[in-house]
Amino acid sequence: MSVLNLLRAPLLAAALAFSLLPAGVAAQEAASAPVTAPAATEAPVGVPTPEVKKEAIDNPYGLEALWSQGDFVARGTLIIMIIMSMGSWYIIFTKLFEQRKLMKSAEAAAATFWTAGTIRKGADGLEEGSAFRFMAEQGLKAANHHEGTLVENIDLHTWIGMSVERAVGNINSRLQDGLAFLATVGSTAPFVGLFGTVWGIYHALTAIGISGQASIDKVAGPVGEALIMTAFGLAVAVPAVMGYNWLIRRNKSAMEKVRTFSGDLHNVLLAGKK
């Protein structure tokens, strides 16, 4: 009995360890297994992704609002400034073209006119309608028609000089055409814009008086109208003033060439080279 009691304890321990062995191995395998993340939810195939659209907000205080919401005075002021601006740019480009044409005629006259045998041949070699051909033809006309009871009392030198100088004056007047409009626009456009500004401020004060409160939504429109009118007045006046000064300077340079040619033409006509 003593021997059986001694062997019973080791046998029970071995049986207990054998029964616990599979659970420990399973736990070890579960611990060593890799952890996988749950699959991400994918969008269904064939379903379009909705696009994010930006909502366009119209400016209630811009130029379009000024035209649509302004009264006849605001619209009339705006139309006047547009006409002034269009007229100024038209005159600037037209006068620049005329001055460029005159400069080219001066170069042609210097290159071909004085090398011709006679003034008639030199004039025929110039471009039709050019200022220098006009002066040559007027000088020839005066030299060939120095007769008559009234004219014969004037010496040939004075008669030819008067005719050539008259031609120079006509050319100068042609170059000056349109510059008065530029000067008028440059001096009056800021005041026209100021009138629109005053009218817009008047509307702002009227809106405040009617509503009884000076909130921003009540005065933003009229004040914006006033600022637009001011900007328009400056935008019209500045190019007109700058164009006027630029054209005056170019006219001075062109007229120096015209007067030089007229003086030489006068001397040649007196010498009898017709």
Side-chain angles (χ1 to χ4, degrees), residues 34-202:
V35 180
T36 58
T41 304
E42 298 181 357
V45 180
V47 179
T49 304
E51 298 180 358
V52 179
K53 296 183 179 180
K54 295 182 179 180
E55 183 180 358
I57 301 176
D58 296 333
N59 183 11
Y61 309 120
L63 183 59
E64 184 178 356
L66 169 62
W67 180 259
S68 61
Q69 300 176 9
D71 56 1
F72 72 97
V73 176
R75 293 181 182 180
T77 305
L78 189 60
I79 290 174
I80 290 174
M81 288 192 291
I82 291 175
I83 294 175
M84 295 169 70
S85 178
M86 293 175 61
S88 298
W89 285 110
Y90 173 78
I91 291 174
I92 289 173
F93 285 113
T94 302
K95 303 311 291 185
L96 286 176
F97 176 77
E98 291 181 358
Q99 290 173 350
R100 183 173 179 271
K101 184 178 179 180
L102 183 62
M103 294 296 185
K104 292 179 63 177
S105 298
E107 295 176 359
T112 61
F113 184 81
W114 304 113
T115 57
T118 61
I119 295 179
R120 182 72 266 173
K121 292 181 179 179
D124 293 338
L126 297 177
E127 183 182 0
E128 184 71 25
S130 67
F132 293 90
R133 181 167 180 168
F134 173 71
M135 284 188 292
E137 290 177 347
Q138 291 298 313
L140 283 172
K141 183 179 179 180
N144 294 329
H145 296 84
H146 185 246
E147 71 274 347
T149 306
L150 297 178
V151 178
E152 65 185 5
N153 295 326
I154 305 174
D155 61 283
L156 183 63
H157 177 277
T158 305
W159 179 247
I160 294 177
M162 291 172 56
S163 299
V164 174
E165 188 64 26
R166 191 180 300 113
V168 173
N170 292 335
I171 296 172
N172 188 27
S173 297
R174 179 65 181 272
L175 289 177
Q176 297 293 328
D177 288 344
L179 297 184
F181 180 83
L182 290 180
T184 303
V185 170
S187 60
T188 59
F191 296 100
V192 176
L194 182 61
F195 172 76
T197 302
V198 173
W199 192 257
I201 295 175
Y202 164 74

Side-chain angles (χ1 to χ4, degrees), residues 230-261:
T230 303
F232 258 93
L234 295 177
V236 173
V238 171
V241 173
M242 296 182 65
Y244 175 82
N245 293 330
W246 187 28
L247 293 175
I248 286 292
R249 185 173 65 251
R250 289 173 60 90
N251 279 350
K252 182 180 179 181
S253 177
M255 287 306 301
E256 288 178 356
K257 298 180 181 296
V258 170
R259 290 192 174 91
T260 300
F261 180 85

